[in-house]
Amino acid sequence: MNNYDLLPILGEGSFGKVYKARRKSDKEIVALKLIKKHGRSEKELISLRKECEIQRHFNHPNIIQMLDSFETENEISHVVLEPMSKLTIYIC
């Protein structure tokens, strides 16, 4: 978490919150998903860790690339997604 500055929240779901964040090393804007550990079963935590590991290996133009993930005492997986400047979002 020390490598990123949190900016405004982008959205919230049942597993956590997604923030706009700035990577300190190069000032790149990324999406940072914070998933709280509190209230999760051990089975859910294992599943979330596996999901992060699987997503780390995806490399496809139609799938947002995961750049980084880490865990703290209070949050399970901080998932850093590719720079937002590279994404084109279509709203229907």
Side-chain angles (χ1 to χ4, degrees):
M1 190 69 178
N2 295 334
N3 296 328
Y4 301 92
D5 290 320
L6 287 184
L7 300 173
I9 190 168
L10 296 174
E12 187 172 351
S14 59
F15 277 95
K17 297 178 181 180
V18 178
Y19 291 88
K20 185 175 182 179
R22 182 179 298 111
R23 191 168 40 202
K24 291 179 180 179
S25 64
D26 60 5
K27 307 296 184 216
E28 190 71 64
I29 300 297
V30 298
L32 181 63
K33 183 177 181 181
L34 304 179
I35 304 169
K36 297 284 185 193
K37 285 183 179 178
H38 180 72
R40 306 272 177 232
S41 69
E42 189 58 33
K43 185 176 179 180
E44 285 178 306
L45 296 177
I46 290 168
S47 179
L48 287 168
R49 289 181 188 111
K50 285 181 183 178
E51 183 180 322
C52 284
E53 188 57 33
I54 290 168
Q55 188 177 358
R56 181 182 301 281
H57 298 291
F58 285 156
N59 186 10
H60 189 278
N62 294 332
I63 298 174
I64 296 172
Q65 186 177 6
M66 185 173 81
L67 303 175
D68 190 14
S69 67
F70 47 93
E71 190 170 333
T72 66
E73 186 176 324
N74 296 321
E75 280 121 356
I76 174 69
S77 298
H78 300 264
V79 181
V80 181
L81 304 174
E82 69 183 299
M84 296 173 75
S85 60
K86 294 183 181 179
L87 301 178
T88 302
I89 299 173
Y90 298 97
I91 300 174
C92 300

